[in-house]
Amino acid sequence: FAYFTWSGRSLYLDDLFVREAYRGQQIGKRLLGAVVDFAAAEGCKKVRWQVSRWNTAAQEFYKKFGAEIDDVELNCDLRLDRDGH
């Protein structure tokens, strides 16, 4: 779970992956639907995840599902496994 200032309690989805051999069989749709149903049952206001700019197939899948993909936020990673941190 995550909390976002402007929207409140949310669910953060880290990865959704369907092996290529199983794509086109509605598996991704059912998996994402189960995540959305779970988030709604837990009182979440939204589900958030990232998609790579190059992954246009995934972007189209998410748009068909009703997701809004913006170009406003970018990921920031500060790795703590380096020497001195």
Side-chain angles (χ1 to χ4, degrees):
F1 294 102
Y3 187 88
F4 298 103
T5 302
W6 304 113
S7 53
R9 183 178 168 92
S10 303
L11 185 71
Y12 178 79
L13 173 63
D14 191 43
D15 284 305
L16 177 70
F17 181 80
V18 176
R19 290 183 185 194
E20 193 169 343
Y22 299 101
R23 294 178 188 162
Q25 300 177 36
Q26 305 294 309
I27 294 170
K29 185 176 181 179
R30 290 192 307 245
L31 287 170
L32 189 54
V35 170
V36 169
D37 290 346
F38 173 78
E42 291 293 320
C44 294
K45 302 298 182 190
K46 70 178 177 181
V47 178
R48 173 176 280 181
W49 64 93
Q50 282 83 39
V51 61
S52 297
R53 292 182 202 276
W54 58 263
N55 196 344
T56 55
Q59 290 176 36
E60 291 306 312
F61 167 75
Y62 296 140
K63 287 177 186 176
K64 286 180 187 175
F65 206 87
E68 297 174 10
I69 301 173
D70 68 38
D71 199 19
V72 175
E73 298 178 9
L74 302 174
N75 294 314
C76 297
D77 291 325
L78 176 61
R79 301 205 182 268
L80 301 179
D81 55 355
R82 303 175 301 180
D83 291 343
H85 287 87

